[in-house]
Amino acid sequence: MIWLAVAAVLGVLELLTVTIDLGLIALAALAGAGAAGLGLGPLWQFGVFALVAAAGLGLVRPYAKRLVNRAPALRSGTAALIGQEAVALSPIDRDSGLVRLGGEEWTARPYVPDLTIAEGTRVEVLAIEGATALVHPQGGSLT
């Protein structure tokens, strides 16, 4: 019963702190309770607890942390515009330019500052700076 109480307390603490550590230790306590339920002695119960806790913290925790810290698969906002195709609505040079991007007009500059892009050219958005798209002609070399 002590193992179950420890598991319950750790489970509640896990819900309050939202870390994976206490949950893994709670599972280890449940494993200790299972060992007690099988009639194993206290030494075996602590051994099972320690083994399951070490396995959880050593193997499961790093994998779970990697999943939590992974970058989102869905890009949104201006990040979603990078790589999109646009059409030059006016000549684009280092001082001025307009493109139609996703149905909207955006101010634009060439990604390579010395480049001038003709009106009507299909371009690719390589970056967004504020409300300005930095573009380059599709299929063109950046050098």
Side-chain angles (χ1 to χ4, degrees):
M1 294 308 278
I2 294 173
W3 285 114
L4 293 176
V6 169
V9 168
L10 289 170
V12 169
L13 289 174
E14 173 64 31
L15 292 174
L16 295 174
T17 61
V18 193
T19 65
I20 193 166
D21 303 331
L22 295 174
L24 292 171
I25 297 172
L27 287 175
L30 286 175
L38 291 175
L40 299 177
L43 220 56
W44 281 100
Q45 294 171 30
F46 281 108
V48 168
F49 170 77
L51 184 66
V52 173
L57 294 175
L59 300 174
V60 175
R61 182 180 184 271
Y63 177 74
K65 292 287 186 181
R66 213 177 6 240
L67 286 178
V68 169
N69 294 330
R70 191 170 43 172
L74 179 65
R75 295 185 306 167
S76 62
T78 57
L81 298 175
I82 295 173
Q84 295 292 316
E85 179 183 294
V87 177
L89 298 176
S90 69
I92 301 170
D93 59 24
R94 69 175 2 151
D95 297 320
S96 65
L98 283 176
V99 293
R100 178 162 309 281
L101 174 59
E104 299 176 336
E105 288 184 10
W106 279 71
T107 58
R109 286 194 333 260
Y111 188 77
V112 177
D114 299 336
L115 185 65
T116 299
I117 301 171
E119 181 178 345
T121 304
R122 294 205 176 276
V123 295
E124 179 180 356
V125 178
L126 299 181
I128 301 287
E129 286 184 355
T132 302
L134 300 182
V135 298
H136 194 74
Q138 284 187 333
S141 172
L142 288 174
T143 56

